[in-house]
Amino acid sequence: MIQVKNYIGGEFVTLSEDFDDISPLDFSVIAKVPRTRNVDDAVDAAKKAQPMWGALSIEQRCDWLDKIANELENQIEEIARLESMDTGKPHHVALNVDASRSVNNFRFFADFGRNMESQTFEMSDATNYVVRKPIGIVGLISPWNLPLYLLSWKIAPALLMGNSIVAKPSEITPLTAHFLANICSQVGLPAGVLNIVHGYGPEVGQAIVEHPEIKAISFTGGTSTGKIVAATAAPMFKKLSLELGGKNASIVLEDADLDVAVPGVLRASFLNSGQICLCGSRVLLHSSIYDEFMERYLQELKSFEIGPVISDEHRSKVVSYIDLAKQEGGNILAGGNIPDKVGAWIEPTVISGLSHTSRTATEEIFGPVVTVHPFDSDEEAIEMANSTQYGLAGSVWSKRKGREVAEKIDSGMVWVNTWLHRDLRVPFGGVKDSGVGREGGMWSLGFFSEAVNICVMED
Ligand code: NAD
């Protein structure tokens, strides 16, 4: 049994009140997690550490990020083991998606920081130059689907820009954040620069968002939680980055290469049991390729390995959507059942026959459930893709018209003939109810700093 501890001011702290961390693989209790209710100690520690950390040069902070990356890389198998146990995802996903990207987040921002160019704007009689100052103490809140991947995506740029941090991972998946705290302690990261507190969202998460000394909040999670975070933070004029839910479309045009599109769309449908905000949970198929695509897709689905969903409670939500789909007139083409084994398992499920405006096809399920819809023209596909409140991501599969259609999709990111292919320099974020702001490369550095202009009059 792992005892998860808060990491505050470089010390590991237990609390008298704990709750259980349950593995979705078999519902066993794998850890005890402290139930933190206030963040005063973490904020005090962050406040003490920030001036020293902010005064280091960018190069020095890049060196720290590299030290963390190196130590994470040395223990990459352990990250994958913990992530797999905590989330239920297959080991190869935990290793190749979660663990490797967590290492890469630190490594990427270290390299990016070293190559950051200064911004100057010349006038005929003066020079402007931009100084990027730390914000101070920042609050980072992350979800359970890609636990260390998403938390480190925030921690690395926040540290790079000279901030100190109060971070809170999801209460459902605390293990790798605790592991990261151990790594930071081992490499000797100065005390108080990174503080990690554990507990429930409405308690310790809310305390982070409410704390007046925390000047910026980077939040990744559901749209309804994002609304609470925004409503709490806005009157305090905190900087806010909100990465929220999605209901993304994978659009297969009539000229798609099905050898590429079928496995690509399948992976977008079910990787991580459909629990990636970027997953394509709506598959839009040109009617001329519908039958062939579906035959191959359903065939390949039979050998696609998925883990359970994150919890029994989340499985109930997923099942309620399968029931809703039936009420809405959907046909279950595959899956739909709960396998006879312990754990939060559910079969990957494919549903046809629903209107693209049905609740099943427009609300975020965040599980291994996909709806399939035929269309007859590009315009119809675009209209269908854009007909939800969300606008996070999407993919277009076509030999000739990918760019043209991609540019008409109202979402923050669109892939053409690929999915989840990421260059960490590019902007990442959603439009509509999928979020506010962008992270990634320079966008992250912009968020985690205050850009100050100095205008110097020439002699
Ligand atoms: P969630 O909103 O329930 O929780 C996210 C985090 O917020 C958790 O750490 C939780 O404890 C915390 N939280 C809950 N209430 C809070 C409050 N009142 N104040 C502050 N923090 C609070 O989301 P989840 O169920 O953990 O994750 C799934 C959701 O995350 C899905 O909607 C998914 O689309 C979204 N997501 C989005 C992205 C993205 O980049 N856009 C990435 C991954 C997941």
Side-chain angles (χ1 to χ4, degrees):
M1 176 82 61
I2 299 168
Q3 175 66 58
V4 171
K5 295 177 185 170
N6 287 343
Y7 179 55
I8 298 176
E11 304 287 328
F12 287 93
V13 185
T14 50
L15 297 177
S16 54
E17 229 183 331
D18 274 338
F19 58 89
D20 292 342
D21 177 18
I22 293 169
S23 174
L25 286 166
D26 58 5
F27 296 146
S28 58
V29 178
I30 51 177
K32 293 281 178 189
V33 187
R35 182 172 177 178
T36 315
R37 291 170 191 267
N38 86 65
V39 293
D40 292 345
D41 293 351
V43 171
D44 285 348
K47 199 172 171 180
K48 275 197 202 108
Q50 197 281 324
M52 169 280 303
W53 183 253
L56 295 183
S57 67
I58 284 271
E59 288 72 22
Q60 287 171 312
R61 293 196 293 261
C62 290
D63 290 345
W64 279 110
L65 296 189
D66 269 337
K67 275 187 203 171
I68 298 170
N70 291 343
E71 200 45 42
L72 286 174
E73 193 161 37
N74 287 340
Q75 305 200 43
I76 198 161
E77 276 294 338
E78 181 61 4
I79 302 173
R81 189 185 73 83
L82 292 170
E83 215 68 292
S84 184
M85 186 163 75
D86 220 0
T87 62
K89 65 185 78 189
H91 176 265
H92 66 93
V93 177
L95 184 65
N96 300 321
V97 178
D98 295 79
S100 65
R101 175 63 189 276
S102 303
V103 173
N104 208 17
N105 284 338
F106 285 99
R107 187 95 71 220
F108 165 78
F109 277 110
D111 291 346
F112 198 74
R114 289 192 184 98
N115 294 311
M116 198 162 62
E117 286 178 8
S118 58
Q119 282 177 298
T120 55
F121 302 92
E122 299 290 346
M123 301 168 77
S124 59
D125 54 354
T127 297
N128 295 275
Y129 67 97
V130 179
V131 177
R132 293 206 168 267
K133 295 191 176 171
I135 300 170
I137 308 173
V138 298
L140 312 180
I141 300 174
S142 57
W144 47 258
N145 61 326
L146 297 164
L148 189 58
Y149 172 136
L150 290 173
L151 192 60
S152 56
W153 179 236
K154 300 181 187 300
I155 289 175
L159 288 180
L160 175 62
M161 298 318 284
N163 304 288
S164 58
I165 295 170
V166 178
K168 189 202 99 63
S170 169
E171 59 272 36
I172 303 173
T173 53
L175 295 187
T176 46
H178 181 52
F179 185 74
L180 174 68
N182 278 300
I183 298 271
C184 290
S185 171
Q186 278 167 33
V187 302
L189 185 73
V193 166
L194 171 63
N195 304 279
I196 299 181
V197 289
H198 296 272
Y200 295 121
E203 294 176 357
V204 67
Q206 186 72 22
I208 290 174
V209 181
E210 281 176 4
H211 203 292
E213 305 253 23
I214 297 180
K215 300 296 183 194
I217 302 289
S218 172
F219 170 86
T220 300
T223 294
S224 55
T225 317
K227 279 185 192 162
I228 299 171
V229 170
T232 309
M236 288 180 270
F237 304 117
K238 295 190 182 198
K239 265 186 123 172
L240 260 186
S241 171
L242 300 173
E243 301 283 355
L244 309 176
K247 185 78 177 178
N248 313 301
S250 305
I251 305 173
V252 186
L253 302 184
E254 72 276 23
D255 67 340
D257 177 350
L258 295 194
D259 291 342
V260 177
V262 171
V265 171
L266 188 66
R267 188 164 161 267
S269 304
F270 295 114
L271 187 68
N272 212 37
S273 300
Q275 302 168 125
I276 300 181
C277 55
L278 306 168
C279 274
S281 50
R282 296 179 294 149
V283 178
L284 313 185
L285 301 173
H286 192 275
S287 38
S288 65
I289 49 98
Y290 187 95
D291 289 342
E292 186 188 349
F293 182 97
M294 284 312 295
E295 194 188 326
R296 292 171 64 171
Y297 179 85
L298 292 173
Q299 185 59 33
E300 290 190 24
L301 173 59
K302 289 180 187 156
S303 53
F304 194 92
E305 185 194 6
I306 68 165
V309 295
I310 193 66
S311 65
D312 198 18
E313 190 188 348
H314 188 55
R315 180 173 60 177
S316 300
K317 176 188 160 189
V318 174
V319 168
S320 78
Y321 272 101
I322 296 172
D323 292 342
L324 174 68
K326 290 176 190 159
Q327 286 164 28
E328 289 186 313
N331 310 314
I332 310 293
L333 301 181
N337 301 308
I338 293 180
D340 186 19
K341 59 176 168 177
V342 185
W345 299 87
I346 181 161
E347 291 173 355
T349 301
V350 181
I351 305 166
S352 69
L354 290 172
S355 159
H356 68 281
T357 58
S358 63
R359 280 187 55 205
T360 314
T362 53
E363 295 179 13
E364 187 184 45
I365 302 173
F366 214 56
V369 177
V370 160
T371 59
V372 189
H373 311 267
F375 64 85
D376 292 313
S377 66
D378 296 352
E379 292 67 36
E380 194 187 355
I382 292 160
E383 190 272 319
M384 289 165 91
N386 291 340
S387 64
T388 77
Q389 67 181 112
Y390 296 109
L392 190 58
S395 64
V396 182
W397 304 80
S398 163
K399 286 185 191 146
R400 289 176 293 110
K401 294 186 287 182
R403 290 179 191 221
E404 188 188 321
V405 172
E407 289 178 21
K408 294 184 180 138
I409 306 302
D410 297 334
S411 56
M413 297 153 279
V414 187
W415 282 280
V416 177
N417 297 326
T418 184
W419 176 77
L420 208 65
H421 193 53
R422 295 270 288 117
D423 180 329
L424 300 185
R425 294 170 300 180
V426 308
F428 180 101
V431 304
K432 301 198 276 186
D433 289 4
S434 288
V436 178
R438 294 289 179 275
E439 295 187 358
M442 207 51 224
W443 285 269
S444 292
L445 304 196
F447 178 75
F448 286 114
S449 63
E450 293 290 2
V452 174
N453 185 58
I454 314 278
C455 178
V456 183
M457 193 72 190
E458 308 297 352
D459 294 334

